[in-house]
Amino acid sequence: MPWVLPIGCARYSVSLKKPLGMVLEQDVKSGNIFVVEVKAGGSAALDGRIKMGDQLIATSGVIYTSESDYGGATVKGGQKLVRLRVQGETFKTVSAAIGSHPGHIPVTLEFQRCDGTNLLPGEDQ
């Protein structure tokens, strides 16, 4: 079944450098992942769109498409950026996807907000 945006909700996407400057937690009952804190001065706060209570819908992750052995040392190569829809995934899996980004590659996060303070005109929906 395709994903449907609930009435009264807005969806937006941000690309942030690590550290992200926010705390995510998974709701035990629903399994959904929400922003529970935005750190002052962090990447999320500087972006300005992320608010406490926003639900994480998807994240980017980095996978490697090749491995080579050089004198006993395994070197991964062929970085590929992928999108992970977080619904149904464990918090550990989502955290691993976010953590897979090398420092020079921003993390793309997709959020949903349904609290009536939807996005300003001109922001992604």
Side-chain angles (χ1 to χ4, degrees):
M1 183 171 146
W3 185 82
V4 178
L5 183 66
I7 294 173
C9 295
R11 194 169 178 192
Y12 66 98
S13 179
V14 297
S15 290
L16 302 176
K17 291 182 180 180
K18 291 181 4 184
L20 302 180
M22 67 178 159
V23 177
L24 300 170
E25 285 185 6
Q26 189 166 32
D27 180 72
V28 177
K29 290 183 182 177
S30 68
N32 294 329
I33 297 173
F34 295 94
V35 176
V36 295
E37 183 179 355
V38 177
K39 304 277 188 179
S43 293
L46 293 173
D47 177 89
R49 290 176 283 178
I50 300 169
K51 307 291 182 212
M52 286 178 40
D54 288 357
Q55 180 183 351
L56 182 64
I57 301 298
T59 183
S60 58
V62 174
I63 61 171
Y64 296 91
T65 59
S66 66
E67 282 187 6
S68 300
D69 185 57
Y70 293 100
T74 301
V75 177
K76 294 181 179 185
Q79 289 180 347
K80 182 176 178 182
L81 200 61
V82 297
R83 179 180 181 269
L84 173 70
R85 189 170 159 195
V86 304
Q87 186 174 8
E89 298 293 342
T90 66
F91 191 78
K92 185 176 180 179
T93 298
V94 174
S95 295
I98 293 170
S100 70
H101 290 73
H104 67 284
I105 298 177
V107 180
T108 300
L109 302 158
E110 296 174 36
F111 291 98
Q112 173 177 292
R113 183 176 306 146
C114 299
D115 65 359
T117 60
N118 291 333
L119 302 172
L120 299 172
E123 291 184 318
D124 292 46
Q125 292 190 32

